């Protein structure tokens, strides 16, 4: 099937306005009759729930955390882009649009990306009005910095905690609506299934994580704002609880999963220290502004840093990409680090690490300047590694960080199931094959504050409010299915812990579906994952009971989904016979090792449809048409 | 290294709890405190015992989920560090470690080391926001804000809402948490509009939720993983004075 | 909205303000006391009693101040006890002090002492034989000096006074800086200064008050 993204026609800059005129509205007096379910309360979920509640809809918001303020958006450090052009350095909506689409390696939908750039400015205005303490200059105006190799300074930031401050802003707006009674919040609640009635999304099944009760919630529409799936790699910069369950179970109910192979591996994370490692910590990319990346020239060189003379060091990013140097984009920096480590030149006990060296900058600018710029990051690094990065280079290595792929949505953020909307990282729409730095926060808030309020009305205006209740038999079926899944997990009583299975899955994913992929490797993954999954269902040990707070059971359900989802990722990666952005296929590279795109055959979105446990999923394509940009080779040499 | 742990175990809110002894063997100094507990839990599961339940999520010190009192100090011995960022190199072989949940009337224990912090939500819901609609706001640069003010606002806004301040307070008071939010907003022109109402509502809600009164022990600042300062409590007190000043005319 | 008198911060402010009133009072009191070293105590006492209006106004204000201070302190402390369900198996204090954690007890000691002190030197019923009202000096004034010196020559009396002053010093050690914080009349720059000044003031007051019993006990100040 050929999918239609339903982009509006007309000139690029007028598309969103045109769409807004076409969209139906809901009469103010009728809004309170509609109930909207919002799952997830990170940036996308909190901003959507707050805005929709304020408009007068009845909102029920769910999160697995104990507070909406703890969504993993909170961990974003660097900043948020907007095309304000405050520094007068040549930025514009078009330029932000172009940078985003180029960074995505021309694998995103033009109209969506342009709209994102358009509303970016409103986001900054909104956040400032909420009391987000963005950094300011001495005249009292907002400060901007250049980020992730951008040629203009368009990134707004609040120290190294931009995500935290934006989320607290959205959370405060949400709290205001909870107080006003328009939003009802269900914390410590995990969505385990979506309920589809007559092919429309009409509710969800939730497990109360404290009592273990399986409960039904009916609504007139459902918004999934449940984030990304980088935890399929076991080790990632995501929070421990971040999972694919909500999105994957929607997929199993018929929603298409688009581009699952597009994952972003962030180049500057703290390397793994041992088998006990439970997660990876990101060090802000801004460090690359003043740090130089290198490894020893010789293989297996175990000398101390001070004993390696300058001419025996390989500053490989500066060597390979003279014009961008250490600021080369994320996917390129990450892959280069993997290459040098694969050659046996990696540093540290595991050999999986490269140096990020500040010695030159400290000599040039003084230790105080470096401390002023990155003091908190150096502190964090020392807390985790016990090493002082003013005295010796940091050790860094890439880590899974963000997933561009997600549930397929049209221009209105509606999935192929009417009434099911997907926002933020959980959808696939705006970042193509690789995300531009400081754009994740922008997309989450754009979707929640400024897009969904318009587009969801169009769907609701065509629906009768409250026509489906939890009495409907579909809810009963769904509840039974979830209850039996829980019973099954608890009854296996095998020998291996859930975490162990997750760990083994992560190894498979990282080795074969990680930073660089090959047909052979992907086929290996496609053999190993089902085998591991089969073992899981025979041999997993989940302690405790279903009707109580049971963290092992929570994990087990999530890992069970990752064990299926990993296969979908590998399948998608195998199907995409090209290299683009975060998806690098070893067979498709130029002579000097650069990614080679195939626009002829792969300028499309791959959206997968679930066909049952025993059948391969079916791929549908949404062709990507570019009316306004020329498909260029992404070069950072 | 090998450690002896005494961990608070409590089946549910209504049942009594007790300290239970566990052994942590072969702990690497590079482990985080929570990774050490992961290893203990994996061992417990392998022996068919129930693992220790504890709250955690981002494991990078920002989400504010983790909440353990380690040897009498919320978030453990290292200053300005959450439990998830505390590493085992801060302990030595043979140490005995007591791990307890936050204790305060307003934070009932749900299970083992997990407590219910929804009282914090109620405080924010009572007024910890600017009542701004989505859309229809002025340009972000329309109101310049002195850098010093924005910086103080940001200092206060760094609060992660973990509740260590309450856990450390001999009075179980939430003043530092409340003061951080009050200061965050009161330092900015956007927040000044509702400042008087906000401080009254939030401090009232604090009492309603069963938190105690601040008596300036300053344990909260010592325990705060983000270094939120008690000078913000003085700021809250000043804001309160302004709000209840019977001599001021409306509009002043 | 709740009223000032029910609010957490409002009641704390009342405790702080009344506390500062009492600090003012005990400063004046210690100055008055020190006239004993220059033989001027009888004159000072006689002068005070020639101004009954001043004495009674002060008495009324101080009684009110003390009542408010005691009432709200007890109320707030009871609330705080309720908010803290129990202690940790291991407790380790980092910033609070013995003084800050025992305000209610040092306060109670001071209150008890105050009653004793009133019975002793104001109503003069504890040692009627030394009572100033019963012994006139050469100029026919009540002999307060004789009463004070005779009383403190009793070891037990002096010890009671010195012990009470330890409680007072502890109470002030926390109370002075705390009252500034509660009233919000400090900031990050002034706070260390206020804290230090509070500690110094409590030490000075302590020394000022115990000087009399100590010097008398040591026999350095004797009656005629």
């Amino acid at each position: 099937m050929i999918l239609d993204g339903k982009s509006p026609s007309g000139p690029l800059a007028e598309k969103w306005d045109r769409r807004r005129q076409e969209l139906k509205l809901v009469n103010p007096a009728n809004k309170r009759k509609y109930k909207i379910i919002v799952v997830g309360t990170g940036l996308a979920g909190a901003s959507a729930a707050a805005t929709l509640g304020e408009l007068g809809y009845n909102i029920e918001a769910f999160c697995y955390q104990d507070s909406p303020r703890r969504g993993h958006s909170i961990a974003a450090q660097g900043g948020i882009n907007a095309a304000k052009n405050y520094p007068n350095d040549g930025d514009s909506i078009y330029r932000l649009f172009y940078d985003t689409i180029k960074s995505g390696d021309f694998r995103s939908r033009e109209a969506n990306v342009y709209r994102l750039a358009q509303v970016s400015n409103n986001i900054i205005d909104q956040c400032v009005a909420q009391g987000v303490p963005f950094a300011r200059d001495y005249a009292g105006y907002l400060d901007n910095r250049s980020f992730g190799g951008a040629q203009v300074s368009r990134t707004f930031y609040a120290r190294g905690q931009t995500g935290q401050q934006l989320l607290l802003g959205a959370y405060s707006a949400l709290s205001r609506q909870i107080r006003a009674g328009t939003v009802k919040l269900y914390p410590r609640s995990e969505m385990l299934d979506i309920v589809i009635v007559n092919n429309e999304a009409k509710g969800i099944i939730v497990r109360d994580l404290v009592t273990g009760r399986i409960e039904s919630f009916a609504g007139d529409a459902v918004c999934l704002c449940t984030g990304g799936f980088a935890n399929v790699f076991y080790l990632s910069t995501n929070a421990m609880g971040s999972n694919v369950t909500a999105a994957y179970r929607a997929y199993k109910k018929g929603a298409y999963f688009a581009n699952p192979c597009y994952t972003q591996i962030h180049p500057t994370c703290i390397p793994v220290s041992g088998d006990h490692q439970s997660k990876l910590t990101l060090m802000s990319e801004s460090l690359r502004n003043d740090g130089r990346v290198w490894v020893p020239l010789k293989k297996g060189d175990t000398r101390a840093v001070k004993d390696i003379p300058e001419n025996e060091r390989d500053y490989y990013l500066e060597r390979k990409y003279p014009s961008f140097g250490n600021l080369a984009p994320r996917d390129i920096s990450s892959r280069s680090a993997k290459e040098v480590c694969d050659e046996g030149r990696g540093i540290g006990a595991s050999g999986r690490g490269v140096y990020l060296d500040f010695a030159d900058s400290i000599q040039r600018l003084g230790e105080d300047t470096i401390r002023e710029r990155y003091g908190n990051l150096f502190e964090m690094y020392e807390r985790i590694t016990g090493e002082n990065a003013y005295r010796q280079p940091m050790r860094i290595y890439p880590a899974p960080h963000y997933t561009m792929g997600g549930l397929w949505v049209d221009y209105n953020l509606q999935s192929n199931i009417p009434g099911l909307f997907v926002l933020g990282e959980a959808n696939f729409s705006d970042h193509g094959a690789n995300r531009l730095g400081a754009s994740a926060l922008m997309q989450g808030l754009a979707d929640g504050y400024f897009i969904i309020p318009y587009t969801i009305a169009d769907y609701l205006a065509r629906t009768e409010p409250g026509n489906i209740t939890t009495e409907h038999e579909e809810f009963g079926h769904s509840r039974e299915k979830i209850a039996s899944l829980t019973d099954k997990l608890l009854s296996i009583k095998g020998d291996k812990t859930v975490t162990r299975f997750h760990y083994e899955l992560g190894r498979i994913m990282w080795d074969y579906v990680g930073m660089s992929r090959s047909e052979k490797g992907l086929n290996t993954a496609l053999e190993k994952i089902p085998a591991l999954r089969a073992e899981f269902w025979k041999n997993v040990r989940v302690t405790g009971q279903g009707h109580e707070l049971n963290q092992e059971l929570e994990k087990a359900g999530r890992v069970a989904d990752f064990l299926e989802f990993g296969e979908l990722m590998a399948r998608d990666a195998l199907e995409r016979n090209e290299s683009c952005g975060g998806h690098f296929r070893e067979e498709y590279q130029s002579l000097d090792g650069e990614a080679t795109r195939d626009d002829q055959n792969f300028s499309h979105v791959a959206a997968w449809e679930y066909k049952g446990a025993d059948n391969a999923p079916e791929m549908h394509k949404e062709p990507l048409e570019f009316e306004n940009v020329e498909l260029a080779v992404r070069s950072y040499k | 290294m090998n450690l002896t742990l005494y961990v608070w175990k409590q089946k549910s809110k209504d049942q009594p709890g007790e300290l239970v002894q566990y052994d942590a063997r072969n702990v690497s100094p590079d482990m985080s405190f929570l990774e050490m507990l992961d290893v203990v839990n994996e061992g417990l599961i392998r022996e068919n015992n129930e693992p220790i339940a504890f709250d955690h999520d981002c494991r990078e010190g920002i989400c504010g989920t983790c909440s353990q009192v380690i040897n009498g100090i919320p978030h453990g011995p290292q200053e300005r560090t959450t439990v998830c960022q505390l590493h085992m190199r801060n302990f030595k072989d043979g140490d005995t470690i007591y791990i307890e949940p936050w204790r305060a009337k307003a934070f009932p224990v749900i299970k083992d080391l997990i407590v219910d912090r929804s009282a914090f939500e109620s405080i924010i819901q009572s007024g910890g926001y600017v009542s701004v609609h989505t859309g229809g706001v002025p340009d972000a640069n329309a109101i310049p804000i002195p850098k010093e003010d924005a910086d103080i606002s940001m200092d206060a806004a760094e609060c992660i809402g973990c509740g260590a301040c309450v856990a450390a307070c001999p009075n179980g008071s939430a003043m530092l948490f409340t003061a951080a939010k009050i200061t965050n907003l009161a330092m900015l022109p956007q927040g000044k509009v509702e400042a008087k109402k906000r401080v009254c509502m939030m401090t009232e809600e604090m009492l309603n939720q069963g938190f105690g009164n601040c008596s300036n022990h300053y344990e909260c600042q010592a325990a705060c993983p983000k270094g939120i300062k008690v000078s913000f409590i003085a700021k809250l007190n000043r804001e309160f004075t302004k709000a209840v000043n019977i001599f001021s005319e409306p509009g002043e | 909205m709740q009223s000032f008198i029910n609010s957490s911060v409002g009641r704390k402010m009342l405790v702080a303000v009344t506390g500062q009133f009492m600090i003012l009072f005990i400063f004046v009191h210690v100055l008055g006391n020190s006239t004993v070293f220059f033989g001027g105590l009888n004159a000072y006492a006689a002068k005070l009693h020639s101004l009954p209006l001043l004495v009674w106004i002060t008495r009324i204000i101080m009684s009110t101040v003390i009542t408010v201070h005691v009432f709200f302190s007890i109320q707030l402390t009871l609330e705080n006890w309720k908010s803290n369900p129990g202690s940790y198996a291991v407790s380790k204090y980092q910033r609070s002090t013995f003084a800050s954690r025992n305000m209610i007890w040092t306060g109670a000691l001071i209150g008890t002492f105050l009653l004793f002190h009133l019975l002793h030197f104001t109503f003069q019923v504890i040692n009627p034989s030394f009572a100033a009202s019963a012994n006139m000096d050469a100029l026919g004034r009540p002999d307060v000096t004789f009463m004070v010196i005779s009383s403190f020559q009793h070891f037990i009396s002096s010890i009671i006074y010195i012990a009470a002053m330890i409680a007072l010093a502890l109470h002030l050690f926390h109370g002075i800086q705390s009252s500034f914080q509660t009233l919000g009349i400090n900031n990050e720059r002034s706070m260390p200064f206020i804290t230090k000044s509070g500690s110094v003031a409590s030490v000075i007051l302590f020394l000022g008050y115990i000087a009399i019993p100590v010097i008398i006990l040591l026999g350095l100040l004797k009656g005629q």
Side-chain angles (χ1 to χ4, degrees):
Chain A
M1 186 168 65
I2 300 296
L3 286 169
D4 180 8
K6 301 199 188 88
S7 296
S9 55
L12 189 59
E14 290 168 24
K15 283 180 194 283
W16 178 227
D17 281 346
R18 188 174 290 220
R19 174 57 50 90
R20 284 195 290 178
Q21 279 162 30
E22 295 161 6
L23 293 170
K24 281 177 175 283
L25 298 172
V26 176
N27 180 312
N30 285 338
K31 282 193 179 123
R32 65 188 154 75
K33 296 179 189 157
Y34 289 97
K35 189 189 275 179
I36 303 170
I37 288 171
V38 178
V39 187
T41 57
L43 280 184
S47 58
T51 305
L52 294 170
E54 185 184 80
L55 286 171
Y57 298 109
N58 240 313
I59 310 296
E60 290 188 333
F62 299 82
C63 62
Y64 74 78
Q65 297 90 346
D66 73 327
S67 162
R69 65 183 290 153
R70 309 203 201 280
H72 199 56
S73 311
I74 205 161
Q77 300 172 355
I80 176 167
N81 287 332
K84 284 280 192 187
N85 193 26
Y86 285 152
N88 198 28
D89 59 355
D91 200 11
S92 64
I93 289 173
Y94 189 87
R95 194 179 288 276
L96 174 56
F97 153 72
Y98 186 77
D99 285 356
T100 307
I101 212 157
K102 178 188 171 196
S103 177
D105 223 353
F106 304 96
R107 288 293 174 264
S108 37
R109 203 186 283 145
E110 224 181 33
N112 278 63
V113 180
Y114 194 84
R115 176 178 63 186
L116 178 64
Q118 273 177 309
V119 301
S120 67
N121 291 342
N122 304 55
I123 296 171
I124 303 302
D125 298 342
Q126 188 64 34
C127 294
V128 167
Q130 285 171 345
V132 170
F134 281 121
R136 286 175 184 270
D137 61 22
Y138 283 100
Y141 293 102
L142 291 162
D143 195 24
N144 291 116
R145 63 181 171 201
S146 148
F147 192 80
Q151 315 268 23
V152 291
S153 293
R154 62 158 78 97
T155 304
F156 294 79
Y157 63 101
R159 295 201 185 135
Q161 293 112 294
T162 318
Q164 179 198 26
Q165 293 311 312
L166 296 177
L167 182 58
L168 292 182
Y171 161 73
S172 71
L174 177 64
S175 298
R176 176 170 159 252
Q177 293 307 317
I178 294 171
R179 174 80 169 189
T182 61
V183 178
K184 179 142 178 41
L185 179 73
Y186 296 89
R188 293 197 195 269
S189 300
E190 182 166 23
M191 176 194 135
L192 292 182
D193 204 9
I194 187 151
V195 179
I196 312 283
V197 179
N198 302 328
N199 196 35
E200 299 197 29
K202 288 297 165 200
I204 58 170
I205 305 297
V206 166
R207 181 166 181 271
D208 179 324
L209 299 181
V210 177
T211 63
R213 260 201 300 275
I214 310 285
E215 291 167 81
S216 305
F217 293 89
D220 297 296
V222 177
C223 297
L224 293 188
C225 315
T226 51
F229 48 80
N231 268 350
V232 70
F233 292 102
Y234 182 65
L235 289 181
S236 81
T237 67
N238 280 10
M240 299 300 284
S242 301
N243 63 77
V244 78
T245 291
Y248 193 75
R249 296 198 180 172
Y251 162 76
K252 283 174 98 169
K253 280 287 179 84
Y256 298 163
F257 213 111
N259 300 335
C261 77
Y262 292 161
T263 49
Q264 186 170 70
I265 313 290
H266 196 288
T268 53
C269 301
I270 299 175
V272 175
S273 70
D275 244 9
H276 56 259
Q277 191 98 17
S278 62
K279 87 150 255 157
L280 296 169
T281 304
L282 184 140
M283 303 292 293
S284 172
E285 202 166 12
S286 60
L287 288 169
R288 289 199 281 149
N289 289 329
D290 285 304
R292 297 179 72 194
V293 179
W294 64 276
V295 287
L297 212 48
K298 275 193 299 199
K299 279 186 196 177
D301 192 341
T302 53
R303 287 178 291 175
V305 172
K306 61 177 175 18
D307 300 326
I308 305 178
E310 200 59 31
N311 60 3
E312 289 179 41
R313 299 177 176 192
D314 179 14
Y315 295 90
Y316 57 89
L317 284 177
E318 296 173 19
R319 173 170 59 77
K320 283 161 64 181
Y321 306 100
S323 69
F324 275 73
N326 296 300
L327 291 173
R330 288 178 177 176
D331 51 344
I332 289 172
S333 317
S334 295
R335 216 155 42 235
S336 305
K338 178 181 181 334
E339 274 165 27
V340 294
C341 292
D342 286 346
E343 288 165 19
R345 299 195 283 142
I347 52 98
S350 63
R352 310 304 300 183
V354 301
Y355 288 125
L356 180 63
D357 197 338
F358 293 87
D360 284 359
S361 299
I362 290 174
Q363 201 165 32
R364 183 161 42 91
L365 305 162
E367 193 173 313
D368 288 344
T369 310
I370 296 297
R371 192 181 304 274
E372 201 177 293
R373 286 186 192 166
Y374 311 110
N376 58 338
L377 294 169
F378 277 52
E379 247 176 61
M380 181 167 91
Y381 180 78
E382 186 164 1
R383 215 173 283 143
I384 293 171
T385 62
E387 294 171 9
N388 179 347
Y390 296 103
R391 300 279 155 271
Q392 65 191 95
M394 279 185 186
R395 294 174 295 114
I396 56 164
Y397 199 64
H401 170 59
Y402 186 89
T403 52
M404 284 72 69
L407 291 176
W408 183 86
V409 290
D410 63 14
Y411 185 75
N412 289 355
L413 303 182
Q414 184 169 239
S415 71
N416 56 304
I417 300 173
L420 176 63
F421 293 80
V422 189
L423 282 65
E425 191 179 351
N427 74 24
F428 88 104
S429 68
D430 295 357
H431 304 298
N434 176 52
R435 181 175 62 75
L436 186 67
S439 282
L441 301 178
M442 175 169 74
Q443 188 222 340
L445 290 179
D447 289 359
Y449 283 134
F450 297 112
I451 298 170
I452 195 71
Y454 295 92
T455 59
I456 204 168
D458 187 68
Y459 168 75
L460 293 172
R462 300 164 202 272
T463 3
E464 191 67 31
N467 58 351
I468 305 291
T469 67
T470 52
E471 301 303 311
H472 194 282
E473 56 174 14
E474 278 300 324
F475 282 91
H477 291 327
S478 210
R479 262 200 320 267
E480 278 163 30
K481 197 183 76 186
I482 296 303
S484 71
L485 185 76
T486 304
D487 291 343
K488 192 170 170 197
L489 284 169
L490 290 167
S491 66
I492 297 168
K493 298 191 191 301
D495 304 327
K496 213 148 122 183
T497 65
V498 178
T499 304
R500 201 62 216 168
F501 278 104
H502 195 183
Y503 174 87
E504 287 177 19
L505 173 68
R507 284 305 288 268
I508 297 173
M509 298 306 291
W510 185 240
D511 288 346
Y512 303 109
V513 200
M515 265 187 284
S516 104
R517 300 148 177 185
S518 68
E519 188 181 339
K520 185 162 164 267
L522 290 167
N523 279 319
T524 311
L526 285 173
E527 280 166 27
K528 289 191 167 197
I529 299 169
L532 185 64
R533 188 168 64 228
E535 191 198 341
F536 176 87
W537 287 107
K538 275 202 209 87
N539 197 25
V540 72
R541 174 178 297 181
V542 184
T543 50
Q545 308 295 324
H547 55 267
E548 62 177 3
L549 193 155
N550 186 341
Q551 293 176 312
E552 283 303 304
L553 181 62
E554 293 166 27
K555 258 194 290 187
R558 293 168 193 163
V559 171
D561 288 331
F562 277 133
L563 281 165
E564 292 182 25
F565 177 74
E567 192 179 335
L568 183 68
M569 261 177 87
R571 197 178 291 277
D572 186 45
L574 185 62
E575 202 71 32
R576 189 166 281 279
N577 287 317
E578 64 161 349
S579 294
C580 61
H583 170 65
F584 186 80
R585 281 282 299 272
E586 286 160 13
E587 301 91 334
Y588 306 99
Q589 53 180 316
S590 63
L591 288 174
D592 52 356
E594 296 304 315
T596 308
R597 242 175 33 223
D598 178 355
D599 295 332
Q600 201 72 41
N601 297 307
F602 290 95
S603 185
H604 62 73
V605 175
W608 296 88
E609 182 185 0
Y610 184 70
K611 287 286 182 189
D614 304 322
N615 303 310
E618 185 185 345
M619 188 180 80
H620 303 291
K621 289 180 184 174
E622 180 200 337
L624 292 169
E625 277 144 28
F626 296 90
E627 298 164 1
N628 299 276
V629 297
E630 187 103 4
L631 269 63
V633 173
R634 218 167 127 246
S635 169
Y636 293 92
K637 292 251 167 193
Chain B
M1 58 180 143
N2 297 320
L3 305 161
T4 307
L5 310 179
Y6 287 91
V7 183
W8 185 261
K9 289 287 288 177
Q10 181 170 342
K11 202 123 186 71
S12 69
K13 196 171 169 175
D14 315 311
Q15 288 172 39
E18 57 174 348
L19 285 168
V20 174
Q21 187 191 328
Y22 297 95
D23 291 323
R25 309 237 154 266
N26 303 320
V27 174
S28 147
D30 288 329
M31 285 179 182
S32 73
F33 197 83
L34 298 185
E35 283 166 350
M36 181 274 291
L37 285 181
D38 288 344
V39 171
V40 171
N41 273 348
E42 286 291 292
L44 287 171
I45 297 167
R46 275 196 300 272
E47 291 156 20
N48 254 328
N49 288 319
E50 216 195 339
I52 302 158
F54 60 91
D55 253 338
H56 64 105
D57 202 21
C58 80
R59 296 210 176 180
E60 50 186 284
I62 192 75
C63 74
T65 310
C66 55
S67 45
Q68 299 173 15
V69 173
I70 298 167
N71 288 339
I73 302 176
H75 289 301
Q78 195 176 9
E79 257 182 36
R80 298 196 58 166
T81 305
T82 54
V83 182
C84 63
Q85 295 274 284
L86 177 67
H87 279 67
M88 295 313 292
R89 63 181 76 89
N90 290 289
F91 299 89
K92 53 183 196 309
D93 189 36
D95 274 359
T96 297
I97 306 176
Y98 285 83
I99 311 173
E100 298 173 77
W102 287 173
R103 291 196 196 282
K105 184 184 154 218
F107 289 167
V109 172
I110 297 175
K111 185 175 186 178
D112 299 353
L113 301 170
I114 299 178
V115 299
D116 178 359
R117 284 171 287 197
S118 51
F120 266 9
E121 305 298 307
S122 304
I123 293 178
I124 298 294
Q125 283 159 20
S126 70
Y129 44 76
V130 175
S131 299
V132 57
H133 294 269
T134 304
V137 297
D139 183 83
N141 255 350
I143 312 171
I145 300 172
K147 185 178 181 343
E148 303 76 48
D149 293 2
D151 284 346
I152 294 173
S153 175
M154 182 64 206
D155 288 341
E158 288 194 21
C159 167
I160 57 174
C162 62
C165 46
V166 177
C169 181
N171 307 344
S173 169
M175 270 294 258
L176 192 67
F177 170 79
T178 311
K181 192 73 218 171
I182 298 274
T183 307
N184 163 213
L185 295 176
M187 290 309 295
L188 304 170
Q190 290 83 0
K192 287 205 164 87
V193 179
E194 298 167 281
K196 289 182 180 175
K197 190 175 161 213
R198 179 180 305 120
V199 68
C200 295
M201 300 294 278
M202 287 180 76
T203 47
E204 180 182 353
E205 188 61 25
M206 208 175 76
L207 273 194
N208 293 343
Q209 291 296 327
F211 292 106
N213 306 285
C214 173
S215 59
N216 306 326
H217 291 297
Y218 309 142
E219 284 291 338
C220 50
Q221 177 174 327
C224 178
K226 296 290 146 182
I228 304 291
K229 291 175 240 157
V230 291
S231 57
F232 299 143
I233 296 180
K235 169 78 179 162
L236 179 153
N237 294 336
R238 279 197 293 283
E239 290 294 315
F240 185 82
T241 316
K242 276 192 241 167
V244 298
N245 180 2
I246 51 169
F247 300 109
S248 76
E249 287 286 323
E252 263 177 51
Chain C
M1 225 184 297
Q2 71 191 155
S3 64
F4 185 81
I5 215 113
N6 292 325
S7 68
S8 174
V9 183
R11 287 180 293 161
K12 274 152 40 70
M13 285 179 165
L14 287 175
V15 174
V17 168
T18 50
Q20 294 194 338
F21 256 101
M22 287 189 275
I23 292 165
L24 214 62
F25 176 82
I26 58 175
F27 257 107
V28 175
H29 191 359
V30 79
L31 289 178
N33 287 358
S34 53
T35 54
V36 74
F37 300 119
F38 319 109
L41 188 58
N42 287 1
Y44 170 69
K47 181 74 195 165
L48 268 185
H49 283 275
S50 69
L51 302 165
L53 192 65
L54 178 77
V55 170
W56 277 105
I57 288 177
T58 310
R59 280 176 178 165
I60 290 168
I61 291 179
M62 288 317 294
S63 313
T64 317
V65 157
I66 290 169
T67 310
V68 170
H69 191 85
V70 170
F71 176 79
F72 285 115
S73 298
I74 292 175
Q75 194 189 40
L76 290 166
T77 306
L78 289 177
E79 283 177 21
N80 292 349
W81 284 348
K82 243 169 60 187
S83 297
N84 187 354
S87 55
Y88 294 104
V90 182
S91 44
K92 196 162 180 188
Y93 298 109
Q94 299 188 87
R95 275 284 295 273
S96 65
T97 56
F98 177 80
S100 75
R101 290 190 302 273
N102 291 288
M103 287 301 272
I104 194 71
W105 303 122
T106 49
L109 283 177
I110 296 165
T112 315
F113 165 75
L114 180 65
L115 290 179
F116 172 79
H117 182 52
L118 288 175
L119 293 175
H120 194 192
F121 284 158
T122 306
F123 302 113
Q124 305 172 4
V125 294
I126 301 228
N127 293 107
S129 56
F130 304 144
S133 51
N135 303 287
M136 298 299 144
D137 68 358
L139 297 174
R141 301 173 298 198
D143 199 344
V144 181
T145 313
F146 167 73
M147 175 174 73
V148 168
I149 293 177
S150 318
S151 297
F152 286 142
Q153 279 165 347
H154 275 261
F155 187 71
I156 300 290
S157 276
S158 283
I159 285 303
I160 290 174
Y161 272 77
I162 292 170
M165 289 310 107
I166 293 173
L168 178 69
L170 284 170
H171 203 75
L172 295 180
F173 178 78
H174 177 72
I176 295 178
Q177 61 87 12
S178 179
S179 69
F180 280 86
Q181 166 83 357
T182 297
L183 295 170
I185 35 183
N186 63 351
N187 57 33
E188 228 172 297
R189 262 160 303 149
S190 61
M191 213 165 136
F193 174 74
I194 290 173
T195 309
K196 234 170 260 162
S197 308
S199 317
V200 170
S202 44
V203 171
I204 291 176
L205 283 167
F206 174 70
L207 294 176
Y209 277 110
I210 64 160
I212 302 172
V214 167
I215 287 173
I216 292 172
L217 265 190
L218 293 177
L220 301 174
L221 188 65
K222 295 191 179 105
Q224 284 84 1

